[in-house]
Amino acid sequence: MKHIDITVSGKVQGVYFRLSTKAVADQLGVKGIACNEPDGTVYLEAEGDDFALDAFLEWCREGPDRAVVENVVCRAGDVKNYRNFEVIRKSR
């Protein structure tokens, strides 16, 4: 089990990025959170095995149909043992 923190920039708010990400995470068995940030980025925390996280990160680089992903920054973090993948409604 690994944990990664991901920041996605571009046209990623108002295009169902968080909800689409949750659907992909649920399919892959990835646990974590997704939330919009005040600077227009989407912040994600994801936990899973190497295969699931690689596939999840690959999807984040594309996003849903209406998104225009310009940059994805990923860094390792400490495992928090999330129970599911949750969309956070308010900015942190």
Side-chain angles (χ1 to χ4, degrees), residues 2-90:
K2 286 186 175 179
H3 176 104
I4 55 175
D5 297 324
I6 305 165
T7 301
V8 184
S9 58
K11 183 183 174 192
V12 293
Q13 290 189 9
V15 294
Y16 297 100
F17 197 98
R18 292 173 304 158
L19 288 174
S20 299
T21 301
K22 177 181 173 24
V24 170
D26 289 346
Q27 285 180 332
L28 293 171
V30 171
K31 314 295 185 206
I33 61 166
C35 62
N36 285 340
E37 295 286 39
D39 65 0
T41 61
V42 172
Y43 174 75
L44 308 161
E45 290 187 11
E47 295 181 349
D49 62 32
D50 285 338
F51 175 80
L53 291 179
D54 286 348
F56 184 73
L57 196 54
E58 188 175 319
W59 185 87
C60 288
R61 290 186 178 105
E62 296 294 321
D65 289 343
R66 293 173 39 205
V68 180
V69 176
E70 293 174 0
N71 194 31
V72 176
V73 177
C74 176
R75 62 190 175 282
D78 295 328
V79 173
K80 298 181 180 177
N81 293 310
Y82 286 109
R83 293 175 182 241
N84 56 21
F85 197 92
E86 184 177 344
V87 174
I88 307 296
R89 300 279 177 220
K90 296 188 176 194

